[in-house]
Amino acid sequence: MFLRSSPGRLLCGRKRSQAHFSARSWYQMLLKQRGLGKPAADDFSRVSILGPAKSLDREELIKLLEASVVHADGTLVAINKPPGLPVTGKPGELTLLSLLPDLSWKLDHTEDLQVIKAAGKESSGLVLLSGCQSTVQHLRDFYIKCQRTGRPAATYYAVTTRIPAASEGEVCTGLKLKQVEDFVLVVPMASPSRQSFQRKEVKRTLTCFRVLDSHDGCALLQLQPLTAFTGQLLVHLTLILSPALGDHLYSSRVGTVLGEPFLLPAETTLPRVQVLGESLLRKLHLQQQQVHRLPLHLHLHQLLLPGARSSSDKVLTAPLPAFFSRTLSLLGLALPQDQSKQ
């Protein structure tokens, strides 16, 4: 694994999440936003950053997803997915795929929508859908080409519980999946062999990061992964000793001695509810026993779309969820002016 503090790239990992899908208050705020337009800043003062214990039922989820459409042009649909909703899962589980037939009907699509690109289960943000097979294939080919040419196609925002030592840079490391007790965890490999790559046991991963704002020990980061590996961004954030807020999977790998962070062994450090310092808990108006309901603050904000010419590629944007904006306000963080209007 190596880090470079030059404008660059970052990498992530993968893990089987056990957090349940519960976010009724966020969805009610989102539905309100869809009806009334973007709320004034004062509205966020009434938004809870916690998800309630009760999960949404199928009909509520379909209604929410229908209201979460941020782009529709006939063949292409994009929604702003709430955190906690998995794209795939076991038979019988409530997932985005299981909801797509009903959502397709609600949106008047004669063909069932297919997922082209999507934010992960615990992340919020863009999900790109189409019922046209040629559009699906065209976009998948476009994103494969972006990876091969080192062009970032996705931009995420993350709130972190520490400030990275470098204001921008890249993380590059090999990642692999490993069974650790009852968990399937993503583990970084310091010196993977060439054979491990050839056998596809380990994958090279890369992500660019940039600190957009920081205040009193926390930061708002822009992340641009140049490879795709489930959990990649969360693992890479731990490698720069700056776990994402609400990361209950990998944040336990960053320990502290005398106020200084250090990495714990990834292969023996099990997931647990994120432990926040007293100062951070006070800013968020939380107690540690409530932190298990804190959502992951990782949002897929932008996706690149191909234009008629490579020079005319477009950018698709999903606004920040209300809970994410509320957290930024509580922590004294803000997007740069040129990005806050997107």
Side-chain angles (χ1 to χ4, degrees), residues 12-242:
C12 340
R14 160 187 270 179
K15 145 81 173 121
R16 182 180 298 165
S17 168
Q18 296 189 339
H20 60 279
F21 179 54
S22 57
R24 185 180 302 271
S25 63
W26 312 329
Y27 307 153
Q28 289 174 341
M29 172 58 73
L30 188 147
L31 289 171
K32 179 181 177 184
Q33 287 175 240
R34 295 296 295 178
L36 301 179
K38 188 174 181 180
D42 290 343
D43 288 343
F44 292 122
S45 66
R46 298 189 292 274
V47 175
S48 171
I49 64 171
L50 295 179
K54 188 176 179 181
S55 302
L56 296 182
D57 62 29
R58 183 182 185 87
E59 292 305 315
E60 289 173 321
L61 273 173
I62 293 170
K63 182 179 179 181
L64 168 66
L65 294 176
E66 184 183 7
S68 301
V69 174
V70 294
H71 175 87
D73 66 2
T75 61
L76 192 64
V77 175
I79 60 175
N80 193 359
K81 186 185 82 69
L85 176 62
V87 176
T88 62
K90 298 177 181 178
E93 290 183 345
L94 203 56
T95 66
L96 179 61
L97 285 183
S98 72
L99 299 172
L100 283 184
D102 288 338
L103 182 62
S104 301
W105 181 80
K106 288 278 188 180
L107 298 178
D108 296 323
H109 277 257
T110 55
E111 300 292 334
D112 282 350
L113 293 167
Q114 299 180 54
V115 176
I116 301 168
K117 207 165 183 64
K121 174 183 177 180
E122 301 305 332
S123 305
S124 59
L126 285 166
V127 176
L128 206 54
L129 306 165
S130 180
C132 172
Q133 189 57 45
S134 62
T135 299
V136 171
Q137 193 59 52
H138 176 59
L139 284 167
R140 286 176 177 168
D141 291 343
F142 172 74
Y143 291 125
I144 290 172
K145 182 179 179 181
C146 286
Q147 278 196 20
R148 289 175 177 170
T149 58
R151 185 183 186 193
T155 298
Y156 289 78
Y157 288 151
V159 175
T160 61
T161 59
R162 290 187 176 275
I163 303 173
S167 61
E168 59 183 326
E170 57 186 33
V171 180
C172 183
T173 189
L175 294 177
K176 67 176 291 186
L177 287 171
K178 184 170 183 178
Q179 185 80 33
V180 181
E181 296 189 12
D182 295 332
F183 301 92
V184 177
L185 299 176
V186 176
V187 176
M189 304 298 294
S191 302
S193 66
R194 181 178 300 178
Q195 290 74 22
S196 65
F197 287 118
Q198 293 172 343
R199 293 192 298 266
K200 298 184 178 180
E201 297 170 354
V202 179
K203 181 174 180 178
R204 292 184 178 90
T205 58
L206 179 64
T207 309
C208 304
F209 70 93
R210 182 161 67 97
V211 178
L212 299 177
D213 195 16
S214 62
H215 179 70
D216 202 14
C218 295
L220 173 64
L221 269 62
Q222 173 185 285
L223 306 173
Q224 292 182 312
L226 294 179
T227 53
F229 198 88
T230 303
Q232 171 179 319
L233 293 176
L234 296 184
V235 174
H236 285 178
L237 287 173
T238 66
L239 293 178
I240 58 173
L241 303 175
S242 302

Side-chain angles (χ1 to χ4, degrees), residues 151 305-314:
R151 185 183 186 193
L305 291 180
R309 303 181 306 276
S310 59
S311 60
S312 62
D313 288 342
K314 298 173 286 188

